[in-house]
């Protein structure tokens, strides 16, 4: 949904936590029961789901780092093992870092949480002028703007050419689908705006500020603010199941490493290691205090970031099938806040193509666990995201591996059913009402940009002499390929890059002419960042 410093600084910081004196595997064996239990559980998860390439796990107990370790391999089919220095994309776990940068600026009197965004970004606009006027810095971080889930994400995903300026300019065209401050819908684009506030106030890039204010003071020498800066020799490769029958199922595949996430850096650009992320966890659990006794931010700022702001869900609490189900969940400033089996827990997930991650902190214990993975394996993450905090509490009373297998089987069965329903033409596969040439043209959406549909030569089908259509999302090179007839005025993409989610494109025909089009993802498992449904494409003259 994302820096290097002097080596001496890192050695000093690690000496404080005890990691510098031990090899990773040996240290895990000499720790207490919590780290040992999580280490063992991670190995059990890897054994239960052998298609998972690799993991990185970090554990903090009572303000001390007790585990920072890699498991498995960086790339399937190789013997290149993950270790505590392997670099993973942490995606939206970046958001808490962006929030912390703003918190420091608030402490310095350079920003106010409840000041209007236009004070710092005079050109800032939402599609509703009232929302523009009322939107505060705090509102940028807490997912209550009225934007729909993942609105505008096609400006940041997958690997588009939009700049941060393009993303900010596009905000004024994104429809407000809900009530401002009236409910929760997760977004990424407003964290880009939060990064712009940081840049406007400091006169430096977000990348320069996060390096100087977080990475360097914490000795996070292997952590970078952009995938493009990752050391190739130490990075994990992304993996995913691309089908059949649908994306999310089928054999595990190595994906190309996407180094083009700079525009959305404040929302998810950070890449880190199990060893480095320990320092971030320590300063969070220390309420802004570093292990050396120096502060990055004060305790009031820390508590402000952890304070619930937007209710995201509620329930009747734990059940036999899910003993960790919270009774209340909310979003703070870069963190989700909820109860986990009777204790307050702060957490966040992160997802990029081929990477998913999870951070959980139990402030009452000054303990936490961070999980980094290099595959889109939801049962692996689910097992660890619940089993890890359980073990921080000294629990082993629920089989999260079996539970995750069951949930995965149910999810896949439903997805196959939904996919079959969605891809069955309701009109029996009727032909388009117009010649294919009538659908060719340039279509424009005010926030995304242009989509070009062109008449192509004969298809690749053996013996075929028919013309076809090609489609190009012009600012997204990965979203280009064939546009195939499907059902009447609805066509279906077949992108050349088969790692991408295809879309249905439905044209509106009036008086014998195509005037506009809308779209939606084909797969029921498509990530919400493929927000095709938000496009309102108008044919240009």
């Amino acid at each position: 949904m994302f820096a290097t410093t002097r080596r001496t600084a890192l050695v000093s910081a690690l000496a404080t936590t005890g990691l510098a004196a031990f090899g990773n595997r040996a240290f895990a064996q000499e720790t207490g029961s919590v780290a040992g239990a999580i280490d063992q559980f991670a190995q059990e998860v890897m054994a239960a789901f052998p298609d998972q390439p690799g993991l990185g796990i970090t554990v903090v107990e009572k303000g001390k780092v007790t585990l920072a370790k890699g498991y498995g391999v960086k790339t399937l089919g190789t013997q290149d093992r993950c270790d505590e220095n392997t670099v993973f994309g942490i995606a939206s776990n970046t958001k808490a870092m962006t929030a912390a940068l703003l918190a420091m600026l608030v402490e310095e009197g350079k920003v106010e949480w409840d000041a209007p965004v236009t004070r710092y970004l005079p050109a800032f606009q939402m599609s509703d002028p009232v929302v523009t006027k009322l939107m505060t810095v705090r509102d940028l971080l807490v997912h209550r703007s009225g934007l729909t889930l993942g609105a505008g994400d096609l400006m940041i995903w997958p690997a588009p050419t939009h700049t941060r300026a393009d993303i900010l300019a596009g905000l004024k065209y994104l429809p407000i689908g809900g009530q401002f401050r009236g409910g929760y819908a997760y977004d990424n684009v407003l964290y880009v705006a939060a990064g712009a506030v940081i840049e406007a106030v400091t006169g430096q890039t977000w990348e320069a500020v996060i390096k100087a204010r977080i990475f360097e003071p914490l000795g996070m020498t292997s952590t970078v603010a952009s995938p493009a800066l990752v050391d190739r020799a130490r990075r994990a490769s992304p993996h995913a199941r691309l089908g059949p029958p649908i994306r999310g199922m089928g054999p595990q595949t190595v994906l190309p490493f996407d180094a083009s996430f700079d525009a959305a850096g404040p929302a998810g650009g950070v890449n880190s290691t199990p060893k480095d992320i320990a320092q971030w966890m320590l300063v969070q659990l220390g309420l802004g205090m570093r292990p050396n006794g120096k502060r990055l931010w004060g305790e009031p700022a820390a508590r402000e970031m952890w304070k619930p702001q937007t209710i995201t869900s509620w329930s009747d609490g734990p059940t036999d099938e899910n003993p960790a189900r919270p009774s209340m969940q909310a979003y703070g400033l870069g963190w989700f806040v909820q109860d986990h089996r009777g204790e307050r827990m702060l957490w966040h997930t992160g997802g990029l193509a081929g990477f998913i991650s999870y951070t959980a902190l139990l402030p009452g214990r000054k303990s936490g666990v961070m999980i980094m993975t290099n595959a889109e394996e939801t049962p692996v993450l689910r097992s660890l995201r619940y089993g890890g905090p359980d073990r921080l509490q000294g629990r082993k009373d629920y089989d999260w591996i079996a539970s995750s297998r069951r949930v995965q089987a149910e999810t896949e069965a439903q997805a196959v059913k939904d996919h079959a329903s969605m891809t069955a033409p309701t009109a029996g596969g009727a032909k388009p009402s117009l010649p294919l040439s009538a659908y060719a043209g340039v279509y424009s959406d005010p926030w995304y940009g242009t989509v070009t549909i062109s008449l192509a030569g004969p298809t690749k089908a053996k013996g075929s002499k028919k013309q076809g259509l090609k489609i190009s999302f012009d600012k997204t090179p990965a979203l280009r390929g064939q546009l195939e007839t499907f059902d009447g005025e609805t066509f279906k993409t077949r992108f050349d890059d088969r790692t991408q989610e295809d879309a249905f494109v439905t044209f509106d025909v009036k008086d014998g002419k195509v005037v506009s089009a809308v779209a939606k993802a084909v797969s029921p498992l498509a990530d919400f960042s493929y927000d095709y449904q938000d496009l309102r494409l108008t044919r240009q003259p």
Side-chain angles (χ1 to χ4, degrees):
M1 222 257 263
F2 259 37
T4 59
T5 63
R6 297 187 302 276
R7 179 170 174 77
T8 52
L10 177 62
V11 172
S12 174
L14 292 180
T16 305
T17 65
L19 272 180
F22 296 92
N24 193 47
R25 190 174 296 274
F27 188 71
Q29 293 171 350
E30 294 188 24
T31 57
S33 61
V34 169
I38 292 178
D39 181 29
Q40 179 182 348
F41 185 58
Q43 295 179 54
E44 292 170 358
V45 170
M46 290 290 286
F49 303 101
D51 285 347
Q52 174 67 40
L55 293 174
I57 305 283
T58 305
V59 176
V60 172
E61 297 177 61
K62 298 178 181 179
K64 303 289 184 181
V65 182
T66 55
L67 182 67
K69 183 177 178 179
Y71 304 77
V73 295
K74 298 173 186 172
T75 308
L76 276 180
T78 75
Q79 296 301 313
D80 191 4
R81 306 290 297 177
C82 293
D83 60 23
E84 71 273 26
N85 295 309
T86 298
V87 182
F88 297 83
I90 68 169
S92 285
N93 278 289
T94 302
K95 288 181 169 66
M97 297 181 180
T98 296
L101 292 177
L102 283 169
M104 288 186 266
L105 294 173
V106 169
E107 283 191 322
E108 294 164 7
K110 298 176 181 177
V111 173
E112 293 180 22
W113 286 124
D114 297 312
V117 175
T118 52
R119 177 186 297 180
Y120 311 104
L121 301 175
F124 176 85
Q125 289 186 61
M126 300 290 284
S127 61
D128 185 331
V130 175
V131 174
T132 298
K133 182 178 180 180
L134 296 177
M135 182 80 73
T136 66
V137 174
R138 185 188 305 274
D139 289 321
L140 296 177
L141 304 182
V142 296
H143 309 297
R144 64 185 185 191
S145 65
L147 292 176
T148 57
L149 175 65
D153 274 4
L154 283 176
M155 291 189 287
I156 68 174
W157 174 272
T161 58
H162 294 82
T163 64
R164 286 182 193 167
D166 291 334
I167 295 170
L168 291 174
L171 290 175
K172 65 178 174 287
Y173 301 111
L174 287 173
I176 303 295
Q179 182 181 356
F180 178 60
R181 296 182 188 158
Y184 166 80
Y186 190 88
D187 75 81
N188 290 297
V189 290
L190 292 181
Y191 267 80
V192 177
V197 171
I198 293 168
E199 294 181 342
V201 170
T202 64
Q204 298 178 284
T205 65
W206 171 84
E207 288 84 355
V209 178
I210 197 170
K211 176 181 176 181
R213 301 295 301 264
I214 293 179
F215 301 159
E216 289 185 344
L218 296 181
M220 298 171 69
T221 61
S222 298
T223 301
V224 292
S226 165
L229 301 175
V230 174
D231 182 347
R232 288 175 174 266
R234 294 197 292 119
R235 75 186 185 196
S237 297
H239 301 74
R241 300 180 187 274
L242 304 179
I246 55 179
R247 198 182 199 280
M249 301 174 67
Q252 197 75 266
T253 302
V254 181
L255 302 180
F257 185 84
D258 182 5
S260 60
F261 205 66
D262 287 353
V270 170
N271 285 244
S272 192
T273 70
K275 180 182 282 187
D276 270 12
I277 210 69
Q279 303 307 311
W280 169 246
M281 295 167 68
L282 285 171
V283 77
Q284 280 288 332
L285 290 165
L287 296 170
M289 184 78 77
R290 294 158 54 188
N292 64 6
K294 296 182 179 180
R295 282 196 170 274
L296 283 191
W297 56 84
E299 184 173 330
R303 297 196 181 280
E304 188 69 23
M305 287 187 279
W306 291 359
K307 184 169 68 177
Q309 307 281 335
T310 305
I311 295 175
T312 64
S313 65
W314 60 92
S315 75
D316 292 333
T319 65
D320 290 342
E321 290 189 349
N322 186 359
R325 187 173 74 160
S327 58
M328 184 71 72
Q329 183 187 99
Y331 202 88
L333 303 179
W335 291 100
F336 287 93
V337 187
Q338 69 174 62
D339 53 294
H340 179 87
R341 307 188 85 171
E343 294 185 45
R344 180 177 56 149
M345 183 171 74
L346 308 168
W347 65 275
H348 214 291
T349 52
L352 287 170
F355 293 103
I356 48 178
S357 57
Y358 177 75
T359 309
L361 306 177
L362 295 178
R365 296 173 182 264
K366 291 191 175 181
S367 299
V369 59
M370 171 69 168
I371 301 146
M372 305 175 182
T373 80
N374 61 342
E376 298 173 16
E377 291 294 281
T378 51
V380 170
L381 188 74
R382 185 178 183 278
S383 299
L384 290 165
R385 72 174 291 177
Y386 294 118
D390 270 9
R391 281 154 180 77
L392 289 177
Q393 294 177 324
R395 296 177 180 271
K396 298 182 184 178
D397 59 346
Y398 190 77
D399 189 344
W400 288 109
I401 292 175
S403 172
S404 297
R405 279 176 168 155
R406 182 185 69 253
V407 170
Q408 181 72 359
E410 293 170 354
T411 300
E412 289 185 354
Q414 186 63 47
V416 170
K417 182 179 178 180
D418 292 344
H419 185 260
S421 175
M422 291 172 65
T423 54
T426 57
K431 293 181 179 180
S433 64
L434 302 174
L436 293 185
S437 58
Y439 299 88
V442 176
Y443 297 76
S444 180
D445 175 89
W447 62 264
Y448 172 80
T450 59
V451 173
T452 299
I453 297 173
S454 56
L455 199 63
T459 64
K460 294 181 180 180
K462 187 176 181 180
S464 174
K465 296 182 180 180
K466 295 181 180 179
Q467 285 188 317
L469 292 175
K470 285 186 174 292
I471 187 168
S472 169
F473 285 68
D474 294 328
K475 288 199 169 187
T476 312
L479 300 182
R480 295 175 183 175
Q482 302 293 320
L483 186 63
E484 303 171 341
T485 58
F486 177 72
D487 193 26
E489 309 306 337
T490 297
F491 291 65
K492 179 178 175 293
T493 67
R494 182 173 176 79
F495 295 126
D496 296 336
D497 182 348
R498 299 309 298 152
T499 68
Q500 304 305 328
E501 294 283 3
D502 283 311
F504 288 123
V505 180
T506 300
F507 296 91
D508 184 21
V509 177
K510 292 183 178 179
D511 299 325
K513 294 183 179 180
V514 179
V515 295
S516 62
V518 294
K520 67 176 182 178
V522 172
S523 172
L525 295 180
D527 189 280
F528 66 76
S529 285
Y530 290 96
D531 63 319
Y532 299 122
Q533 72 279 356
D534 291 327
L535 295 170
R536 297 295 180 267
L537 296 163
T538 302
R539 188 173 183 177
Q540 301 302 293

